[in-house]
Amino acid sequence: MQKRKIGKPILRLGQKQHGESRVSVFAKDVFDQTAELTKELADKEASDKRKRNEAFLEELKQGERAAKHGRVTPNKEHTTNLHISGLHSSVNEHALCVAFGKFGALGSVKIMWPRDTAAKSNCGFVSFMDRTGAEQARREMNGSKLCGLELRVVWAKHVALPTEPVFVQGGDEEQTGHPFNARGTDNAEVRVTRPTNKQTERLIHWTVEHVVRFGAEFECLLIQHTRCDERFGFLTQWMSNDHVYYRWRIYSLLNGDTKQAWHANMFVMYDEGPVWVPPPTCVEVRELQAENDSEQRECELSRRKQRRVEKCVRVHTSERGSIARAMAVVIDHAYAAAQVVDIVCQALYDAHGNEKLAQLMLVSDILHNSAAPVPNAWRLRDQLELHLSKIFDDLARSSKEIEGRLRADHFCKRVLSVLAVWESRMIFPLNTLYEQAQKFI
């Protein structure tokens, strides 16, 4: 006879066992059973998750092996998953999304990062939400270059797709094909600049007119037919200045502006987007040009003032009074520093003997007073520095033409004394002054 296990007697309601009521014992049993059931469910969920991860990794490995040996998966007519090889080491998941996201919404993006950091290229997988986008991406991206490396795009084994895409080109907006879904830059501010190439600018204006007239469908068709035409690169090169100008032109014309006049105030093209800064209007450009012309005229001496400066800067002696008067005239006309310095230097080149030394004293006095709190006085020093080497070449040549050794030595000592004064006042760098002094030693 088989022995039976003796079970615990079931307590009836109202009975007590060791001071506990049957209700409390029943509740304790229920709690214990619930805890055991919860633990079993948690263990099962963890096991299922681990199995799914292992299956996914195995699919990725199979796809990688198939692409390596030139094979494709048997169910390629149903898959939307692509295997991409030849990825540059600098390409990450986001860059891969941007490169392939223009063909449709993406369900998953994965790059198989190698353990060896010295690897020249990587591989990855991109899974589309629909078959059409995957076919177009494989057709157009296979053989194309990304970051200088040629891509090889083949079909990979089908993977499960999420209910919502992980990446949609243009952000969260609905993909209607409308040109304003494109983002020109990730910066907080987008500055619009006019194209430097006039032919490109005319082509952009022609395209804008037709897009405004026929709508986004025309733009999509134009992109498809001119994908290999570099002249229409502004349609797809979203980070270029020409594309930013193209987007702004469309937005501007649709909001009532014209080709000749537009609102110059900053604006936001779409919610939570960057601030756009339009280029200056044609009127502002003309006003700026007129202002520049006016400043240019103010920086030039009139014929009467030019004759006065030429007369005053030609000093004949080293008398302090004549040099001071010439220096004052130069400082008063410092707004035309380049023209005034040319006149002073020409006077030094034309002088002879002691008159040349007097002109050098004038140059030294101008440099000493160029630090004075007078408008544009500092410009005189900058302009004289440009002529410095030529000035001392002329002085060195003149010293060699002087008859008599004593007179020539006296001339050189006077020139070197001027350089010593400039050194003490730190008017020019020491190496510059030393270079000029070598011409008289």
Side-chain angles (χ1 to χ4, degrees):
M1 173 181 270
Q2 186 178 4
K3 295 183 180 180
R4 296 183 180 178
K5 293 182 181 180
I6 301 176
K8 294 182 180 180
I10 300 175
L11 298 178
R12 298 181 179 177
L13 294 177
Q15 294 182 355
K16 292 184 179 180
Q17 184 180 16
H18 303 293
E20 292 185 3
S21 65
R22 293 184 178 182
V23 175
S24 61
V25 174
F26 177 76
K28 185 178 179 180
D29 292 340
V30 172
F31 292 152
D32 292 342
Q33 294 176 5
T34 304
E36 293 178 0
L37 181 61
T38 303
K39 184 180 179 181
E40 291 179 2
L41 292 176
D43 294 341
K44 183 179 179 182
E45 183 178 358
S47 177
D48 294 342
K49 184 177 180 180
R50 184 171 58 256
K51 290 180 180 179
R52 288 196 300 269
N53 292 337
E54 292 176 354
F56 178 71
L57 291 176
E58 183 62 26
E59 290 177 357
L60 294 180
K61 293 179 181 179
Q62 290 178 2
E64 184 177 2
R65 289 194 295 267
K68 182 177 180 179
H69 297 287
R71 301 190 301 268
V72 295
T73 55
N75 58 342
K76 64 179 182 179
E77 63 274 6
H78 301 295
T79 182
T80 61
N81 192 25
L82 298 175
H83 178 271
I84 302 103
S85 57
L87 292 175
H88 194 274
S89 58
S90 63
V91 177
N92 54 19
E93 281 82 358
H94 178 72
L96 207 58
C97 287
V98 174
F100 283 81
K102 58 186 176 182
F103 301 103
L106 304 181
S108 64
V109 178
K110 179 67 176 178
I111 292 181
M112 308 302 294
W113 298 103
R115 296 182 179 179
D116 184 12
T117 56
K120 295 182 179 180
S121 62
N122 302 329
C123 63
F125 294 87
V126 174
S127 181
F128 285 82
M129 296 297 292
D130 58 76
R131 176 74 179 187
T132 304
E135 290 178 346
Q136 185 179 4
R138 180 180 177 274
R139 183 172 56 254
E140 299 190 15
M141 295 300 292
N142 187 29
S144 63
K145 288 188 176 182
L146 183 62
C147 294
L149 295 182
E150 184 175 346
L151 302 181
R152 185 170 184 270
V153 183
V154 298
W155 293 111
K157 189 174 181 180
H158 178 73
V159 295
L161 297 175
T163 56
E164 296 292 336
V166 297
F167 181 84
V168 178
Q169 188 71 53
D172 298 332
E173 298 90 351
E174 182 182 358
Q175 296 301 293
T176 60
H178 199 276
F180 305 134
N181 283 342
R183 296 176 184 265
T185 179
D186 294 332
N187 297 332
E189 185 177 274
V190 180
R191 289 192 171 273
V192 182
T193 57
R194 302 185 68 173
T196 56
N197 190 327
K198 293 299 181 182
Q199 184 177 2
T200 302
E201 185 177 10
R202 288 193 294 268
L203 185 59
I204 291 176
H205 291 170
W206 178 87
T207 306
V208 168
E209 291 178 2
H210 287 75
V211 170
V212 172
R213 181 179 179 183
F214 299 106
E217 292 77 8
F218 174 82
E219 184 192 45
C220 295
L221 292 174
L222 188 63
I223 291 175
Q224 294 177 2
H225 287 81
T226 61
R227 189 174 296 275
C228 298
D229 194 339
E230 295 182 355
R231 296 176 302 171
F232 289 88
F234 61 87
L235 290 172
T236 55
Q237 297 173 4
W238 300 326
M239 301 302 292
S240 65
N241 292 331
D242 291 344
H243 178 79
V244 173
Y245 178 78
Y246 166 71
R247 290 295 176 205
W248 166 78
R249 264 300 185 184
I250 295 178
Y251 184 87
S252 175
L253 292 181
L254 289 177
N255 282 273
D257 295 340
T258 63
K259 290 192 298 183
Q260 290 76 23
W262 54 83
H263 293 83
N265 297 329
M266 296 186 295
F267 64 93
V268 177
M269 189 175 292
Y270 46 85
D271 294 340
E272 300 181 0
V275 177
W276 289 65
V277 183
T281 61
C282 297
V283 176
E284 292 176 340
V285 171
R286 286 195 294 269
E287 291 177 353
L288 183 62
Q289 185 65 33
E291 183 178 351
N292 293 337
D293 294 342
S294 177
E295 292 179 356
Q296 183 67 23
R297 287 194 297 271
E298 290 178 358
C299 294
E300 295 179 357
L301 295 174
S302 62
R303 289 180 176 254
R304 182 176 62 83
K305 292 181 178 181
Q306 183 176 352
R307 287 194 297 268
R308 179 171 179 265
V309 173
E310 290 176 350
K311 181 180 179 180
C312 292
V313 300
R314 292 184 180 273
V315 292
H316 302 285
T317 63
S318 299
E319 182 183 2
R320 181 62 187 166
S322 61
I323 293 178
R325 287 191 294 271
M327 182 272 300
V329 172
V330 171
I331 295 295
D332 290 341
H333 297 82
Y335 59 86
Q339 196 172 357
V340 171
V341 169
D342 287 340
I343 295 174
V344 172
C345 292
Q346 189 61 44
L348 186 147
Y349 303 149
D350 296 340
H352 300 279
N354 291 331
E355 292 184 1
K356 193 175 288 288
L357 289 176
Q359 295 295 151
L360 180 61
M361 296 299 136
L362 174 60
V363 171
S364 181
D365 215 28
I366 293 171
L367 288 172
H368 176 69
N369 289 276
S370 62
V374 179
N376 300 309
W378 59 272
R379 296 177 182 271
L380 297 170
R381 181 209 173 274
D382 293 344
Q383 292 296 324
L384 282 170
E385 186 176 9
L386 300 176
H387 294 265
L388 198 61
S389 181
K390 188 176 179 181
I391 288 175
F392 283 91
D393 286 342
D394 181 79
L395 291 172
R397 186 169 50 254
S398 298
S399 66
K400 296 177 181 179
E401 296 175 354
I402 297 176
E403 297 180 357
R405 181 177 178 182
L406 293 178
R407 295 178 59 187
D409 290 344
H410 177 72
F411 184 91
C412 292
K413 289 180 180 179
R414 293 285 301 274
V415 174
L416 292 174
S417 66
V418 172
L419 290 175
V421 173
W422 291 0
E423 179 184 355
S424 64
R425 296 176 180 175
M426 296 183 292
I427 295 179
F428 293 114
L430 184 60
N431 57 346
T432 301
L433 298 177
Y434 180 77
E435 181 182 353
Q436 305 307 325
Q438 290 294 319
K439 300 175 182 178
F440 301 89
I441 298 176

